[in-house]
Amino acid sequence: MQVSVENTSALERRMSITVPAERIETQVNKRLQQTAQKAKIAGFRPGKVPMSEIKRRFGADARQEAVGDVIQSSFYEAVVEQKLNPAGAPSIEPKSIEAGKDLEYVAIFEVFPEFTVAGFDGITVERLSADVADADLDKMLDVLRKQNTRFEVAERAAQNEDQLNIDFVGKVDGEVFAGGSAKGTQLVLGSGRMIPGFEDGLVGAKAGEERVLNLTFPEDYQNLDLAGKTAEFTVTVNTVSEPKLPELNEEFFAQFGIKETGLEGFRTEVRKNMERELRQAIKSKVKNQVMDGLLTTNPIEVPKALLSNEVDRLRVQAVQQFGGNIKPDQLPAELFEEQAKRRVVLGLIVAEVVKQFDLKPDEARVREMIQEMASAYQEPEQVVSWYYKNDQQLNEVRSVVLEEQVVDTVLQKASVTDKSVSYEEAVKPVEAPQAD
């Protein structure tokens, strides 16, 4: 077998392969002999069909199968021989497939980039530290109470944060428009659910009152037919209900799976959850800074095949998340290309760091992480046992731990500054940079 390789770009390879005719003919004859043993042809006993008849009937199919198999096997042999690492399936261009002649074809494919991860000392990281103060805990309890707010009918005028049951009809240019009317809708004033001015226009209204609101749809409204247009809404208030926060009692605690521990026990459990969230937030922010630094200091070219595969994965995830009667390939690839490129490049860089530093998942950290996750459940021992009985889930945790070890490896050489902040600042998500 003869092989020659041409570098057509940084990652693309054009490999010309010639396979001796004897190898093809051997494969063709092997298939024909197998066919002859089981072929059922009228006028002949099984296994007694003349080879000339077998070749006449099945020769073309046997050759086609043989050529396909030989191309597949010879391509694999060639990339091993040339020490190439394909990043995707090759595009095959047959040059000569005539019977009795050598098989010649060209395989065009991309290879994984070869690089050494460097520049750790050029990466800067700000590592936050914080504690859960009593005031933070009190604020969290207020949030939990508000999340479980119930509403009771009030015989008074509506205020912000009240829940109104309303009927409304919306018109543009005197005509009712699609989606602009509803009956029995529950609306909390100040929630921002409706267009600007709608909720403000109902402050002070009482049950049984009708109000006419003349409003303008925002210029960037999602329904382009209504964007920027003036509308008239006739609103009837059916009921006004005021918010009632639940008491911090056993009934409230039971909603969170916490029983018979009293207020102090509940505060202890909430604090544990907040501390767990705090640790994860700090760890996540450090990791993101490290990954951003690795991307900046290690620019590499991405194989198109890997990028395409990642875009397809993100499309499927988007459909699964948002549902609807849309197929993944109907979503524009451009929506996912930037995210896909980041994930592919980071995957390559992280894998190279693991290889360079010969990192293996620290099993003690794996168990520690599983125990940390399990502590959020009522029966943590059962959760730990479940992880160690499920190889797929266990390997996912090992992958996360290995990424953490990559981060630790970078931090040993990066420029790290520590900063004490409040709990709120530490857990606050990092805002994405605004496009110009």
Side-chain angles (χ1 to χ4, degrees), residues 379-410:
E379 302 290 343
E381 300 83 4
Q382 291 183 12
V383 177
V384 172
S385 176
W386 179 82
Y387 268 98
Y388 278 96
K389 289 177 181 176
N390 290 269
D391 287 343
Q392 182 178 346
Q393 301 297 328
L394 184 57
N395 286 332
E396 285 181 8
V397 177
R398 286 187 175 125
S399 295
V400 174
V401 167
L402 195 56
E403 275 197 3
E404 288 188 355
Q405 291 174 234
V406 168
V407 171
D408 292 345
T409 300
V410 176

PDB file of all heavy atoms in Angstrom, residues 379-410:
ATOM      1  N   GLU A 379     -31.573  11.743  52.710  1.00  0.00           N
ATOM      2  CA  GLU A 379     -30.859  10.484  52.960  1.00  0.00           C
ATOM      3  C   GLU A 379     -29.528  10.498  52.205  1.00  0.00           C
ATOM      4  O   GLU A 379     -29.373   9.844  51.168  1.00  0.00           O
ATOM      5  CB  GLU A 379     -31.710   9.293  52.507  1.00  0.00           C
ATOM      6  CG  GLU A 379     -33.080   9.188  53.158  1.00  0.00           C
ATOM      7  CD  GLU A 379     -32.995   8.812  54.623  1.00  0.00           C
ATOM      8  OE1 GLU A 379     -31.922   8.320  55.039  1.00  0.00           O
ATOM      9  OE2 GLU A 379     -33.982   9.010  55.351  1.00  0.00           O
ATOM     10  N   PRO A 380     -28.538  11.262  52.681  1.00  0.00           N
ATOM     11  CA  PRO A 380     -27.279  11.423  51.942  1.00  0.00           C
ATOM     12  C   PRO A 380     -26.548  10.111  51.674  1.00  0.00           C
ATOM     13  O   PRO A 380     -25.932   9.944  50.618  1.00  0.00           O
ATOM     14  CB  PRO A 380     -26.450  12.361  52.828  1.00  0.00           C
ATOM     15  CG  PRO A 380     -27.104  12.332  54.165  1.00  0.00           C
ATOM     16  CD  PRO A 380     -28.537  12.040  53.933  1.00  0.00           C
ATOM     17  N   GLU A 381     -26.621   9.156  52.615  1.00  0.00           N
ATOM     18  CA  GLU A 381     -25.907   7.887  52.412  1.00  0.00           C
ATOM     19  C   GLU A 381     -26.427   7.148  51.185  1.00  0.00           C
ATOM     20  O   GLU A 381     -25.657   6.529  50.436  1.00  0.00           O
ATOM     21  CB  GLU A 381     -26.040   6.993  53.656  1.00  0.00           C
ATOM     22  CG  GLU A 381     -25.480   7.583  54.934  1.00  0.00           C
ATOM     23  CD  GLU A 381     -26.453   8.515  55.632  1.00  0.00           C
ATOM     24  OE1 GLU A 381     -27.605   8.637  55.137  1.00  0.00           O
ATOM     25  OE2 GLU A 381     -26.067   9.124  56.643  1.00  0.00           O
ATOM     26  N   GLN A 382     -27.746   7.207  50.985  1.00  0.00           N
ATOM     27  CA  GLN A 382     -28.339   6.538  49.823  1.00  0.00           C
ATOM     28  C   GLN A 382     -27.874   7.182  48.525  1.00  0.00           C
ATOM     29  O   GLN A 382     -27.641   6.501  47.520  1.00  0.00           O
ATOM     30  CB  GLN A 382     -29.869   6.572  49.913  1.00  0.00           C
ATOM     31  CG  GLN A 382     -30.442   5.710  51.027  1.00  0.00           C
ATOM     32  CD  GLN A 382     -31.967   5.719  51.040  1.00  0.00           C
ATOM     33  OE1 GLN A 382     -32.598   6.187  50.093  1.00  0.00           O
ATOM     34  NE2 GLN A 382     -32.539   5.209  52.115  1.00  0.00           N
ATOM     35  N   VAL A 383     -27.740   8.507  48.542  1.00  0.00           N
ATOM     36  CA  VAL A 383     -27.288   9.228  47.345  1.00  0.00           C
ATOM     37  C   VAL A 383     -25.849   8.846  47.010  1.00  0.00           C
ATOM     38  O   VAL A 383     -25.507   8.585  45.847  1.00  0.00           O
ATOM     39  CB  VAL A 383     -27.413  10.752  47.541  1.00  0.00           C
ATOM     40  CG1 VAL A 383     -26.859  11.496  46.323  1.00  0.00           C
ATOM     41  CG2 VAL A 383     -28.867  11.140  47.786  1.00  0.00           C
ATOM     42  N   VAL A 384     -24.990   8.804  48.028  1.00  0.00           N
ATOM     43  CA  VAL A 384     -23.588   8.412  47.818  1.00  0.00           C
ATOM     44  C   VAL A 384     -23.525   6.999  47.240  1.00  0.00           C
ATOM     45  O   VAL A 384     -22.793   6.734  46.273  1.00  0.00           O
ATOM     46  CB  VAL A 384     -22.797   8.484  49.142  1.00  0.00           C
ATOM     47  CG1 VAL A 384     -21.397   7.896  48.953  1.00  0.00           C
ATOM     48  CG2 VAL A 384     -22.700   9.926  49.628  1.00  0.00           C
ATOM     49  N   SER A 385     -24.300   6.098  47.805  1.00  0.00           N
ATOM     50  CA  SER A 385     -24.329   4.708  47.330  1.00  0.00           C
ATOM     51  C   SER A 385     -24.793   4.635  45.894  1.00  0.00           C
ATOM     52  O   SER A 385     -24.242   3.879  45.082  1.00  0.00           O
ATOM     53  CB  SER A 385     -25.248   3.885  48.242  1.00  0.00           C
ATOM     54  OG  SER A 385     -25.366   2.565  47.755  1.00  0.00           O
ATOM     55  N   TRP A 386     -25.797   5.451  45.555  1.00  0.00           N
ATOM     56  CA  TRP A 386     -26.332   5.448  44.179  1.00  0.00           C
ATOM     57  C   TRP A 386     -25.252   5.863  43.183  1.00  0.00           C
ATOM     58  O   TRP A 386     -25.113   5.253  42.112  1.00  0.00           O
ATOM     59  CB  TRP A 386     -27.521   6.407  44.104  1.00  0.00           C
ATOM     60  CG  TRP A 386     -28.131   6.494  42.738  1.00  0.00           C
ATOM     61  CD1 TRP A 386     -29.029   5.645  42.164  1.00  0.00           C
ATOM     62  CD2 TRP A 386     -27.864   7.510  41.744  1.00  0.00           C
ATOM     63  NE1 TRP A 386     -29.340   6.051  40.885  1.00  0.00           N
ATOM     64  CE2 TRP A 386     -28.641   7.195  40.603  1.00  0.00           C
ATOM     65  CE3 TRP A 386     -27.058   8.643  41.700  1.00  0.00           C
ATOM     66  CZ2 TRP A 386     -28.638   7.985  39.457  1.00  0.00           C
ATOM     67  CZ3 TRP A 386     -27.053   9.424  40.552  1.00  0.00           C
ATOM     68  CH2 TRP A 386     -27.832   9.094  39.460  1.00  0.00           C
ATOM     69  N   TYR A 387     -24.474   6.889  43.506  1.00  0.00           N
ATOM     70  CA  TYR A 387     -23.407   7.350  42.604  1.00  0.00           C
ATOM     71  C   TYR A 387     -22.393   6.242  42.363  1.00  0.00           C
ATOM     72  O   TYR A 387     -21.947   6.025  41.226  1.00  0.00           O
ATOM     73  CB  TYR A 387     -22.715   8.588  43.172  1.00  0.00           C
ATOM     74  CG  TYR A 387     -23.317   9.889  42.703  1.00  0.00           C
ATOM     75  CD1 TYR A 387     -24.233  10.577  43.480  1.00  0.00           C
ATOM     76  CD2 TYR A 387     -22.983  10.429  41.460  1.00  0.00           C
ATOM     77  CE1 TYR A 387     -24.801  11.771  43.053  1.00  0.00           C
ATOM     78  CE2 TYR A 387     -23.538  11.620  41.019  1.00  0.00           C
ATOM     79  CZ  TYR A 387     -24.449  12.287  41.818  1.00  0.00           C
ATOM     80  OH  TYR A 387     -25.012  13.461  41.383  1.00  0.00           O
ATOM     81  N   TYR A 388     -22.012   5.528  43.440  1.00  0.00           N
ATOM     82  CA  TYR A 388     -20.971   4.511  43.288  1.00  0.00           C
ATOM     83  C   TYR A 388     -21.484   3.225  42.635  1.00  0.00           C
ATOM     84  O   TYR A 388     -20.699   2.348  42.313  1.00  0.00           O
ATOM     85  CB  TYR A 388     -20.322   4.224  44.632  1.00  0.00           C
ATOM     86  CG  TYR A 388     -19.257   5.247  44.976  1.00  0.00           C
ATOM     87  CD1 TYR A 388     -19.548   6.337  45.785  1.00  0.00           C
ATOM     88  CD2 TYR A 388     -17.978   5.145  44.448  1.00  0.00           C
ATOM     89  CE1 TYR A 388     -18.577   7.300  46.073  1.00  0.00           C
ATOM     90  CE2 TYR A 388     -17.006   6.089  44.721  1.00  0.00           C
ATOM     91  CZ  TYR A 388     -17.309   7.164  45.539  1.00  0.00           C
ATOM     92  OH  TYR A 388     -16.351   8.101  45.796  1.00  0.00           O
ATOM     93  N   LYS A 389     -22.803   3.150  42.435  1.00  0.00           N
ATOM     94  CA  LYS A 389     -23.364   2.001  41.718  1.00  0.00           C
ATOM     95  C   LYS A 389     -23.680   2.337  40.259  1.00  0.00           C
ATOM     96  O   LYS A 389     -24.101   1.470  39.494  1.00  0.00           O
ATOM     97  CB  LYS A 389     -24.645   1.520  42.410  1.00  0.00           C
ATOM     98  CG  LYS A 389     -24.397   0.842  43.749  1.00  0.00           C
ATOM     99  CD  LYS A 389     -25.707   0.442  44.416  1.00  0.00           C
ATOM    100  CE  LYS A 389     -25.463  -0.212  45.777  1.00  0.00           C
ATOM    101  NZ  LYS A 389     -26.745  -0.519  46.474  1.00  0.00           N
ATOM    102  N   ASN A 390     -23.501   3.614  39.868  1.00  0.00           N
ATOM    103  CA  ASN A 390     -23.794   4.052  38.504  1.00  0.00           C
ATOM    104  C   ASN A 390     -22.523   4.608  37.862  1.00  0.00           C
ATOM    105  O   ASN A 390     -22.120   5.745  38.142  1.00  0.00           O
ATOM    106  CB  ASN A 390     -24.890   5.124  38.507  1.00  0.00           C
ATOM    107  CG  ASN A 390     -26.247   4.566  38.871  1.00  0.00           C
ATOM    108  OD1 ASN A 390     -27.013   4.151  38.020  1.00  0.00           O
ATOM    109  ND2 ASN A 390     -26.558   4.552  40.169  1.00  0.00           N
ATOM    110  N   ASP A 391     -21.910   3.794  37.011  1.00  0.00           N
ATOM    111  CA  ASP A 391     -20.625   4.175  36.414  1.00  0.00           C
ATOM    112  C   ASP A 391     -20.699   5.481  35.634  1.00  0.00           C
ATOM    113  O   ASP A 391     -19.783   6.306  35.696  1.00  0.00           O
ATOM    114  CB  ASP A 391     -20.129   3.055  35.489  1.00  0.00           C
ATOM    115  CG  ASP A 391     -19.637   1.852  36.279  1.00  0.00           C
ATOM    116  OD1 ASP A 391     -19.381   2.013  37.493  1.00  0.00           O
ATOM    117  OD2 ASP A 391     -19.531   0.756  35.696  1.00  0.00           O
ATOM    118  N   GLN A 392     -21.791   5.677  34.885  1.00  0.00           N
ATOM    119  CA  GLN A 392     -21.899   6.893  34.067  1.00  0.00           C
ATOM    120  C   GLN A 392     -21.910   8.139  34.951  1.00  0.00           C
ATOM    121  O   GLN A 392     -21.176   9.105  34.685  1.00  0.00           O
ATOM    122  CB  GLN A 392     -23.171   6.846  33.215  1.00  0.00           C
ATOM    123  CG  GLN A 392     -23.316   8.060  32.300  1.00  0.00           C
ATOM    124  CD  GLN A 392     -24.555   7.996  31.429  1.00  0.00           C
ATOM    125  OE1 GLN A 392     -25.193   6.957  31.304  1.00  0.00           O
ATOM    126  NE2 GLN A 392     -24.911   9.112  30.828  1.00  0.00           N
ATOM    127  N   GLN A 393     -22.727   8.125  36.011  1.00  0.00           N
ATOM    128  CA  GLN A 393     -22.793   9.268  36.909  1.00  0.00           C
ATOM    129  C   GLN A 393     -21.461   9.474  37.643  1.00  0.00           C
ATOM    130  O   GLN A 393     -21.000  10.606  37.812  1.00  0.00           O
ATOM    131  CB  GLN A 393     -23.918   9.066  37.938  1.00  0.00           C
ATOM    132  CG  GLN A 393     -25.292   8.879  37.324  1.00  0.00           C
ATOM    133  CD  GLN A 393     -25.745  10.096  36.545  1.00  0.00           C
ATOM    134  OE1 GLN A 393     -25.396  11.208  36.898  1.00  0.00           O
ATOM    135  NE2 GLN A 393     -26.507   9.886  35.494  1.00  0.00           N
ATOM    136  N   LEU A 394     -20.846   8.368  38.041  1.00  0.00           N
ATOM    137  CA  LEU A 394     -19.572   8.453  38.751  1.00  0.00           C
ATOM    138  C   LEU A 394     -18.495   9.048  37.848  1.00  0.00           C
ATOM    139  O   LEU A 394     -17.690   9.893  38.276  1.00  0.00           O
ATOM    140  CB  LEU A 394     -19.161   7.062  39.237  1.00  0.00           C
ATOM    141  CG  LEU A 394     -17.888   6.960  40.089  1.00  0.00           C
ATOM    142  CD1 LEU A 394     -17.994   7.835  41.328  1.00  0.00           C
ATOM    143  CD2 LEU A 394     -17.622   5.504  40.467  1.00  0.00           C
ATOM    144  N   ASN A 395     -18.472   8.629  36.584  1.00  0.00           N
ATOM    145  CA  ASN A 395     -17.470   9.148  35.650  1.00  0.00           C
ATOM    146  C   ASN A 395     -17.697  10.633  35.349  1.00  0.00           C
ATOM    147  O   ASN A 395     -16.737  11.372  35.082  1.00  0.00           O
ATOM    148  CB  ASN A 395     -17.484   8.335  34.358  1.00  0.00           C
ATOM    149  CG  ASN A 395     -16.853   6.964  34.551  1.00  0.00           C
ATOM    150  OD1 ASN A 395     -15.982   6.787  35.413  1.00  0.00           O
ATOM    151  ND2 ASN A 395     -17.280   5.989  33.774  1.00  0.00           N
ATOM    152  N   GLU A 396     -18.959  11.068  35.383  1.00  0.00           N
ATOM    153  CA  GLU A 396     -19.237  12.495  35.190  1.00  0.00           C
ATOM    154  C   GLU A 396     -18.643  13.312  36.337  1.00  0.00           C
ATOM    155  O   GLU A 396     -18.077  14.384  36.115  1.00  0.00           O
ATOM    156  CB  GLU A 396     -20.753  12.727  35.081  1.00  0.00           C
ATOM    157  CG  GLU A 396     -21.340  12.291  33.748  1.00  0.00           C
ATOM    158  CD  GLU A 396     -22.825  12.557  33.647  1.00  0.00           C
ATOM    159  OE1 GLU A 396     -23.379  13.222  34.553  1.00  0.00           O
ATOM    160  OE2 GLU A 396     -23.450  12.103  32.666  1.00  0.00           O
ATOM    161  N   VAL A 397     -18.770  12.794  37.551  1.00  0.00           N
ATOM    162  CA  VAL A 397     -18.167  13.479  38.705  1.00  0.00           C
ATOM    163  C   VAL A 397     -16.651  13.483  38.576  1.00  0.00           C
ATOM    164  O   VAL A 397     -15.987  14.484  38.855  1.00  0.00           O
ATOM    165  CB  VAL A 397     -18.606  12.823  40.030  1.00  0.00           C
ATOM    166  CG1 VAL A 397     -17.903  13.490  41.218  1.00  0.00           C
ATOM    167  CG2 VAL A 397     -20.116  12.903  40.202  1.00  0.00           C
ATOM    168  N   ARG A 398     -16.095  12.368  38.139  1.00  0.00           N
ATOM    169  CA  ARG A 398     -14.638  12.298  37.953  1.00  0.00           C
ATOM    170  C   ARG A 398     -14.169  13.344  36.936  1.00  0.00           C
ATOM    171  O   ARG A 398     -13.107  13.958  37.109  1.00  0.00           O
ATOM    172  CB  ARG A 398     -14.236  10.898  37.475  1.00  0.00           C
ATOM    173  CG  ARG A 398     -14.299   9.836  38.581  1.00  0.00           C
ATOM    174  CD  ARG A 398     -13.742   8.515  38.109  1.00  0.00           C
ATOM    175  NE  ARG A 398     -13.686   7.543  39.186  1.00  0.00           N
ATOM    176  CZ  ARG A 398     -14.250   6.337  39.140  1.00  0.00           C
ATOM    177  NH1 ARG A 398     -14.906   5.959  38.044  1.00  0.00           N
ATOM    178  NH2 ARG A 398     -14.158   5.512  40.159  1.00  0.00           N
ATOM    179  N   SER A 399     -14.948  13.553  35.886  1.00  0.00           N
ATOM    180  CA  SER A 399     -14.592  14.558  34.870  1.00  0.00           C
ATOM    181  C   SER A 399     -14.589  15.957  35.466  1.00  0.00           C
ATOM    182  O   SER A 399     -13.703  16.766  35.172  1.00  0.00           O
ATOM    183  CB  SER A 399     -15.580  14.499  33.695  1.00  0.00           C
ATOM    184  OG  SER A 399     -15.476  13.267  33.018  1.00  0.00           O
ATOM    185  N   VAL A 400     -15.578  16.238  36.324  1.00  0.00           N
ATOM    186  CA  VAL A 400     -15.650  17.551  36.979  1.00  0.00           C
ATOM    187  C   VAL A 400     -14.444  17.742  37.901  1.00  0.00           C
ATOM    188  O   VAL A 400     -13.817  18.813  37.920  1.00  0.00           O
ATOM    189  CB  VAL A 400     -16.969  17.695  37.771  1.00  0.00           C
ATOM    190  CG1 VAL A 400     -16.966  18.997  38.570  1.00  0.00           C
ATOM    191  CG2 VAL A 400     -18.172  17.663  36.826  1.00  0.00           C
ATOM    192  N   VAL A 401     -14.112  16.704  38.655  1.00  0.00           N
ATOM    193  CA  VAL A 401     -12.962  16.775  39.562  1.00  0.00           C
ATOM    194  C   VAL A 401     -11.677  16.981  38.765  1.00  0.00           C
ATOM    195  O   VAL A 401     -10.801  17.773  39.156  1.00  0.00           O
ATOM    196  CB  VAL A 401     -12.869  15.500  40.426  1.00  0.00           C
ATOM    197  CG1 VAL A 401     -11.510  15.422  41.131  1.00  0.00           C
ATOM    198  CG2 VAL A 401     -13.993  15.471  41.453  1.00  0.00           C
ATOM    199  N   LEU A 402     -11.552  16.288  37.634  1.00  0.00           N
ATOM    200  CA  LEU A 402     -10.358  16.432  36.802  1.00  0.00           C
ATOM    201  C   LEU A 402     -10.237  17.869  36.291  1.00  0.00           C
ATOM    202  O   LEU A 402      -9.130  18.424  36.242  1.00  0.00           O
ATOM    203  CB  LEU A 402     -10.426  15.451  35.627  1.00  0.00           C
ATOM    204  CG  LEU A 402      -9.134  15.207  34.851  1.00  0.00           C
ATOM    205  CD1 LEU A 402      -8.016  14.745  35.778  1.00  0.00           C
ATOM    206  CD2 LEU A 402      -9.360  14.183  33.745  1.00  0.00           C
ATOM    207  N   GLU A 403     -11.363  18.496  35.926  1.00  0.00           N
ATOM    208  CA  GLU A 403     -11.333  19.900  35.511  1.00  0.00           C
ATOM    209  C   GLU A 403     -10.874  20.784  36.663  1.00  0.00           C
ATOM    210  O   GLU A 403     -10.129  21.745  36.459  1.00  0.00           O
ATOM    211  CB  GLU A 403     -12.718  20.352  35.033  1.00  0.00           C
ATOM    212  CG  GLU A 403     -12.990  20.036  33.581  1.00  0.00           C
ATOM    213  CD  GLU A 403     -14.164  20.832  33.018  1.00  0.00           C
ATOM    214  OE1 GLU A 403     -14.725  21.680  33.748  1.00  0.00           O
ATOM    215  OE2 GLU A 403     -14.517  20.597  31.863  1.00  0.00           O
ATOM    216  N   GLU A 404     -11.337  20.475  37.885  1.00  0.00           N
ATOM    217  CA  GLU A 404     -10.905  21.246  39.050  1.00  0.00           C
ATOM    218  C   GLU A 404      -9.395  21.108  39.251  1.00  0.00           C
ATOM    219  O   GLU A 404      -8.713  22.078  39.632  1.00  0.00           O
ATOM    220  CB  GLU A 404     -11.640  20.776  40.306  1.00  0.00           C
ATOM    221  CG  GLU A 404     -13.111  21.177  40.349  1.00  0.00           C
ATOM    222  CD  GLU A 404     -13.749  20.874  41.689  1.00  0.00           C
ATOM    223  OE1 GLU A 404     -13.073  20.259  42.550  1.00  0.00           O
ATOM    224  OE2 GLU A 404     -14.916  21.242  41.884  1.00  0.00           O
ATOM    225  N   GLN A 405      -8.874  19.913  39.003  1.00  0.00           N
ATOM    226  CA  GLN A 405      -7.432  19.698  39.146  1.00  0.00           C
ATOM    227  C   GLN A 405      -6.660  20.476  38.084  1.00  0.00           C
ATOM    228  O   GLN A 405      -5.548  20.947  38.330  1.00  0.00           O
ATOM    229  CB  GLN A 405      -7.112  18.200  39.074  1.00  0.00           C
ATOM    230  CG  GLN A 405      -7.624  17.420  40.278  1.00  0.00           C
ATOM    231  CD  GLN A 405      -7.433  15.915  40.135  1.00  0.00           C
ATOM    232  OE1 GLN A 405      -8.381  15.162  40.262  1.00  0.00           O
ATOM    233  NE2 GLN A 405      -6.210  15.475  39.869  1.00  0.00           N
ATOM    234  N   VAL A 406      -7.251  20.617  36.892  1.00  0.00           N
ATOM    235  CA  VAL A 406      -6.639  21.456  35.852  1.00  0.00           C
ATOM    236  C   VAL A 406      -6.586  22.901  36.340  1.00  0.00           C
ATOM    237  O   VAL A 406      -5.559  23.582  36.201  1.00  0.00           O
ATOM    238  CB  VAL A 406      -7.442  21.357  34.532  1.00  0.00           C
ATOM    239  CG1 VAL A 406      -7.001  22.437  33.545  1.00  0.00           C
ATOM    240  CG2 VAL A 406      -7.268  19.982  33.902  1.00  0.00           C
ATOM    241  N   VAL A 407      -7.697  23.370  36.918  1.00  0.00           N
ATOM    242  CA  VAL A 407      -7.746  24.739  37.452  1.00  0.00           C
ATOM    243  C   VAL A 407      -6.676  24.915  38.530  1.00  0.00           C
ATOM    244  O   VAL A 407      -5.934  25.918  38.535  1.00  0.00           O
ATOM    245  CB  VAL A 407      -9.147  25.051  38.032  1.00  0.00           C
ATOM    246  CG1 VAL A 407      -9.126  26.383  38.790  1.00  0.00           C
ATOM    247  CG2 VAL A 407     -10.187  25.097  36.915  1.00  0.00           C
ATOM    248  N   ASP A 408      -6.558  23.953  39.433  1.00  0.00           N
ATOM    249  CA  ASP A 408      -5.546  24.034  40.494  1.00  0.00           C
ATOM    250  C   ASP A 408      -4.137  24.091  39.914  1.00  0.00           C
ATOM    251  O   ASP A 408      -3.267  24.814  40.422  1.00  0.00           O
ATOM    252  CB  ASP A 408      -5.663  22.829  41.432  1.00  0.00           C
ATOM    253  CG  ASP A 408      -6.946  22.853  42.259  1.00  0.00           C
ATOM    254  OD1 ASP A 408      -7.587  23.913  42.322  1.00  0.00           O
ATOM    255  OD2 ASP A 408      -7.307  21.800  42.820  1.00  0.00           O
ATOM    256  N   THR A 409      -3.901  23.325  38.851  1.00  0.00           N
ATOM    257  CA  THR A 409      -2.582  23.305  38.211  1.00  0.00           C
ATOM    258  C   THR A 409      -2.240  24.676  37.644  1.00  0.00           C
ATOM    259  O   THR A 409      -1.108  25.157  37.788  1.00  0.00           O
ATOM    260  CB  THR A 409      -2.569  22.256  37.075  1.00  0.00           C
ATOM    261  OG1 THR A 409      -2.862  20.965  37.623  1.00  0.00           O
ATOM    262  CG2 THR A 409      -1.218  22.221  36.384  1.00  0.00           C
ATOM    263  N   VAL A 410      -3.234  25.325  37.028  1.00  0.00           N
ATOM    264  CA  VAL A 410      -3.011  26.667  36.474  1.00  0.00           C
ATOM    265  C   VAL A 410      -2.789  27.681  37.595  1.00  0.00           C
ATOM    266  O   VAL A 410      -1.907  28.540  37.506  1.00  0.00           O
ATOM    267  CB  VAL A 410      -4.210  27.092  35.592  1.00  0.00           C
ATOM    268  CG1 VAL A 410      -4.017  28.533  35.095  1.00  0.00           C
ATOM    269  CG2 VAL A 410      -4.367  26.148  34.403  1.00  0.00           C
TER     270      VAL A 410
END
